[in-house]
Amino acid sequence: MSDERAAAIDVRDAVKRYGDFTALKRISLSIADNEFFTLLGPSGCGKTTLLRMIAGFEDVTEGAIFLFGDEIETLPPHKRPVNTVFQNYALFPHMTVQENVGFGLEMLGRSRAEARARAGEMLEMVQLSQFAARKPAQLSGGQQQRVALARALAPQPKVLLLDEPLSALDLKLRKAMQLELKHLQRDTGITFIFVTHDQEEALTMSDRIAVMSAGEVQQLGTARDIYERPRNMFVADFIGETNLLEVHVDRIAEGRALCHLGGGHALSCDAVDGVGVGARVHLSVRPERLALSAAAQGDESLAGTVREHVFVGTDITTLVDLAGGISLRVRSANSARASAQMFEPGAAVHVTMEQGAGRLLVD
Amino acid sequence: MAKRYDLRVYPGFRAVTFLCLFVLYAPLVVVMVYSFNASPSITNWEGLSLRWYADVFTGPESAKFKAAARNSFVIALVAASVATAIATLSATAILRGGRFRLRLVSFGLISLPLMVPEIVTAVATLIFFNAIGFDRGLLTILLAHIAFCIPFAYLPIAARMQGIEDTYEQAAMDLYATRRQAFVRVLLPLMMPGIVSGFLLAFIVSLDDFIITNFVKGAGVETLPTAIFGSVKQGIRPNIMAISTMLLAVSVVMVTLSWLISRRDTTR
Ligand SMILES: Nc1ncnc2c1ncn2[C@@H]1O[C@H](COP(=O)(O)OP(=O)(O)OP(=O)(O)O)[C@@H](O)[C@H]1O
Ligand SMILES: [Mg+2]
């Protein structure tokens, strides 16, 4: 029985094996209705495999997939109310743009007239009405991408799957399409499952992100969660830029952990489950949450020397060497340059971590 | 890099090329030129004339040639159509049917006739028809032609299908098309250049076949090649050259068409 309050997609203990190679190791995900959900991970981690299992092009070796409470594993692709925007678009080259967009409705048994009318509406939505009579080959990459989107949305699927739809576009167009996609998702209310290996894209667009690696979900959460509270080394390293410091946990009291960095330096941060006193783990600190000053600010300031500055457009990254061979990246906004003091390479500085910015990582 | 492996810089390349071209094409040129000869002799040139072309259609042997031509074209048309249909379905099964166990074997069986000497196929086919007590006639020619045309139709069709990514069919099925609809609405149109090209190739192979036809044809049933052969046995007259030239023209047109169509890329 289909249940409107059930999750749009519920993946339960899904395993995918190709021969003796395991592409997905027991994945469980629950994706809510109307959600913009992103699968993020490096090449080969199994994102496409998972998407193809939901679409029905790969069978599930173990486990089950539910769509609004109905198990869909036994349904062939054409019976699943799920549409895909393929990575290479896969627009039918022998059909016009309009025929491409109307194809799904025609296959659903709607009249040709209705399919045409709906295709017209969809093309208007993606601002391609004037290209309706063209063949896909006569469109630019960005236009083809929008046709693929219109084609997948035309039959009003319950869930839209997008496999790296923006990866073939140049940076500027990609940014524009990111916004467009996000608005489209909000306006249509359709659940989007979006695949990308671009962490920035994932952070800007998603309601929730599943970070994957080697066939496993490493962390599941909002963009903020994942960026600010990475669970393990892989996530901290994969998402954004970070300082990974080897630390020794000395003491845990009232939810705070005191960690030694070596070289006589110490920092305190929130304790996390799975990291106890005496553990040797990594501490992740985002470079924008460190600040430089001439004098020590409080008792946790770390004394060091400036090695060099790296200009990265809006920001400046300063590399600071601490005693004990530790080096830190500190990032400050370029706009703050007038007010902040600039330190020349070789200058002695203190690095202070913002309260709560340090994150202990399991494994 | 490219220069070092360029065949054209090898000594004697030019001479060998011209020799090969000469051996291949000089006889054809002679036949073509002499088909326009005004003289009944096949060696003395007496000026330009279309009299042997007229002779083909109105001369003493015209009735025989017309019947043979009709047989040839009917057989080529039917054999090529049936062979193309079978080849298309085989290619779909072999290339799109997933990994079934006899996949390689199937491909081998389909293309094997290309490598078996034609005379062997001819004898085998004849023995087969005799064994099952099939009366030789037009139908035996047709069946034999269908059989040996399949690999010729198969090759361009399979080559084409291999160039079509299966994401198109997946996209169709994703958009609620059944397997059949995906085949008819998406795969078949994309394969059309290969299919037409395969059909034309099969048509020509059937039209030109002599050896197998000669073995399996019934008494009194002739196709153009067997009729020409029969006529030549009585001595070569220039009307044979005229027929040959016309047959050559049909072949050239068809092969060119086949090549042009197979080159057209509908996926672009
Ligand atoms: N048909 C197959 N047979 C065997 N292994 C496969 C098959 N398809 C995929 N794989 C393997 O499964 C793993 C996951 O592949 P998948 O295509 O899902 O990666 P991905 O995360 O989408 O990567 P990318 O970002 O490069 O697209 C890869 O290691 C791949 O080699
Ligand atoms: Mg992929």
Side-chain angles (χ1 to χ4, degrees):
Chain A
M1 269 280 87
S2 137
D3 175 358
E4 285 307 315
R5 286 158 310 158
I9 292 282
D10 203 353
V11 179
R12 290 192 204 153
D13 296 320
V15 175
K16 178 69 194 179
R17 282 191 214 100
Y18 293 108
D20 48 12
F21 173 75
T22 308
L24 290 180
K25 302 169 191 159
R26 209 160 292 283
I27 289 211
S28 292
L29 287 174
S30 185
I31 299 166
D33 198 9
N34 298 348
E35 191 169 20
F36 196 119
F37 190 90
T38 298
L39 297 171
L40 171 66
S43 186
C45 70
K47 307 177 298 279
T48 299
T49 305
L50 183 54
L51 219 57
R52 288 171 56 82
M53 277 159 56
I54 297 172
F57 298 123
E58 287 310 335
D59 47 314
V60 185
T61 314
E62 274 173 42
I65 298 177
F66 295 84
L67 179 89
F68 289 100
D70 296 326
E71 180 158 9
I72 52 172
E73 209 215 299
T74 50
L75 294 181
H78 70 269
K79 294 219 173 113
R80 300 186 186 199
V82 168
N83 287 152
T84 309
V85 177
F86 289 82
Q87 182 157 2
N88 56 0
Y89 313 146
L91 297 175
F92 306 129
H94 58 295
M95 298 183 194
T96 63
V97 165
Q98 171 137 28
E99 287 164 347
N100 261 284
V101 177
F103 187 84
L105 288 165
E106 230 182 285
M107 291 300 114
L108 281 174
R110 309 291 168 73
S111 70
R112 232 160 230 241
E114 192 185 335
R116 281 182 74 89
R118 175 91 181 131
E121 276 170 40
M122 296 310 296
L123 286 174
E124 203 163 308
M125 185 184 78
V126 296
Q127 294 153 28
L128 286 176
S129 300
Q130 69 271 40
F131 298 122
R134 286 208 194 168
K135 291 279 175 69
Q138 297 165 310
L139 299 180
S140 74
Q143 290 163 344
Q144 289 181 18
Q145 204 279 328
R146 300 220 291 274
V147 175
L149 194 63
R151 184 177 72 173
L153 283 172
Q156 290 175 303
K158 290 187 171 168
V159 176
L160 188 71
L161 309 176
L162 304 104
D163 193 356
E164 308 202 25
L166 307 181
S167 61
L169 308 181
D170 63 51
L171 186 66
K172 209 164 164 188
L173 191 55
R174 197 156 73 217
K175 297 265 182 227
M177 283 305 301
Q178 285 174 5
L179 278 181
E180 225 170 288
L181 270 181
K182 184 77 195 150
H183 290 157
L184 209 62
Q185 193 267 332
R186 213 162 16 193
D187 297 346
T188 56
I190 293 173
T191 308
F192 276 34
I193 304 182
F194 185 87
V195 164
T196 182
H197 59 249
D198 180 341
Q199 44 107 3
E200 207 179 311
E201 193 164 278
L203 293 177
T204 39
M205 301 176 76
S206 325
D207 293 328
R208 280 194 310 153
I209 301 171
V211 183
M212 292 177 65
S213 139
E216 284 177 300
V217 174
Q218 301 293 332
Q219 188 170 0
L220 184 76
T222 63
R224 226 193 151 102
D225 267 346
I226 281 173
Y227 187 78
E228 291 182 353
R229 286 177 292 282
R231 204 173 66 83
N232 58 24
M233 281 279 280
F234 176 83
V235 177
D237 199 30
F238 190 70
I239 311 280
E241 201 187 350
T242 196
N243 293 292
L244 288 172
L245 305 169
E246 260 180 70
V247 298
H248 179 263
V249 181
D250 281 351
R251 182 159 41 89
I252 296 180
E254 291 163 20
R256 301 283 292 169
L258 182 69
C259 310
H260 253 102
L261 279 63
H265 302 293
L267 286 172
S268 58
C269 57
D270 290 337
V272 299
D273 290 345
V275 179
V277 174
R280 290 213 142 272
V281 288
H282 283 86
L283 177 70
S284 161
V285 188
R286 300 286 178 195
E288 70 273 16
R289 305 195 66 180
L290 293 171
L292 295 175
S293 57
Q297 312 266 324
D299 52 0
E300 283 195 350
S301 280
L302 310 169
T305 345
V306 173
R307 196 195 317 157
E308 62 174 312
H309 298 288
V310 181
F311 289 85
V312 278
T314 53
D315 292 341
I316 303 175
T317 299
T318 308
L319 301 178
V320 179
D321 291 325
L322 307 185
I326 304 163
S327 116
L328 284 178
R329 304 166 74 83
V330 181
R331 184 182 276 227
S332 44
N334 233 339
S335 54
R337 228 160 115 190
S339 53
Q341 195 181 347
M342 279 294 289
F343 297 94
E344 292 308 314
V349 287
H350 281 85
V351 181
T352 312
M353 182 177 78
E354 203 180 299
Q355 179 77 23
R359 176 77 184 166
L360 284 175
L361 305 172
V362 294
D363 57 72
Chain B
M1 259 309 259
K3 187 125 197 146
R4 252 178 73 193
Y5 297 106
D6 192 341
L7 272 177
R8 285 172 293 186
V9 302
Y10 286 3
F13 173 78
R14 202 175 279 262
V16 172
T17 307
F18 282 124
L19 182 70
C20 290
L21 289 177
F22 181 79
V23 171
L24 278 173
Y25 290 103
L28 289 181
V29 172
V30 170
V31 166
M32 272 159 62
V33 169
Y34 274 85
S35 72
F36 295 102
N37 194 354
S39 152
S41 152
I42 57 165
T43 45
N44 300 330
W45 179 259
E46 280 180 15
L48 216 54
S49 147
L50 286 177
R51 94 177 241 218
W52 299 112
Y53 286 88
D55 184 85
V56 169
F57 292 100
T58 55
E61 289 182 304
S62 65
K64 182 178 127 193
F65 282 136
K66 274 181 196 161
R70 193 176 315 113
N71 284 345
S72 266
F73 277 94
V74 168
I75 288 170
L77 197 68
V78 177
S81 306
V82 176
T84 305
I86 294 175
T88 305
L89 297 179
S90 318
T92 310
I94 290 176
L95 298 175
R96 290 296 205 262
R99 282 161 200 281
F100 57 97
R101 246 188 312 161
L102 295 178
R103 212 175 124 166
L104 258 174
V105 178
S106 310
F107 175 73
L109 279 179
I110 286 254
S111 42
L112 194 64
L114 290 176
M115 279 156 262
V116 174
E118 203 181 338
I119 185 76
V120 175
T121 311
V123 172
T125 315
L126 177 63
I127 293 173
F128 172 72
F129 282 135
N130 278 346
I132 61 170
F134 212 101
D135 277 340
R136 279 181 287 152
L138 213 53
L139 195 57
T140 45
I141 306 180
L142 183 61
L143 290 175
H145 279 219
I146 290 173
F148 78 75
C149 280
I150 291 173
F152 291 95
Y154 179 83
L155 290 182
I157 292 172
R160 174 76 194 173
M161 195 184 262
Q162 254 154 356
I164 301 171
E165 286 178 55
D166 51 10
T167 46
Y168 294 119
E169 291 145 88
Q170 287 178 1
M173 287 192 271
D174 188 61
L175 291 162
Y176 313 110
T178 59
R179 247 174 197 290
R180 223 187 80 124
Q181 284 170 320
F183 178 75
V184 174
R185 295 286 306 266
V186 175
L187 189 57
L188 212 53
L190 292 179
M191 268 168 54
M192 214 25 104
I195 292 175
V196 173
S197 165
F199 172 85
L200 291 176
L201 207 59
F203 186 90
I204 283 302
V205 168
S206 163
L207 195 66
D208 288 354
D209 180 73
F210 173 74
I211 301 180
I212 293 175
T213 313
N214 203 37
F215 270 71
V216 300
K217 78 186 176 68
V221 183
E222 302 286 349
T223 64
L224 263 185
T226 62
I228 291 172
F229 182 72
S231 177
V232 166
K233 277 198 295 195
Q234 326 287 324
I236 301 179
R237 291 174 59 237
N239 64 340
I240 295 299
M241 298 196 184
I243 292 191
S244 302
T245 306
M246 288 189 280
L247 211 48
L248 181 67
V250 171
S251 296
V252 168
V253 167
M254 290 247 176
V255 171
T256 312
L257 267 182
S258 159
W259 182 74
L260 285 177
I261 290 170
S262 68
R263 244 174 33 127
R264 235 186 48 196
D265 191 353
T266 45
T267 61
R268 284 280 149 75

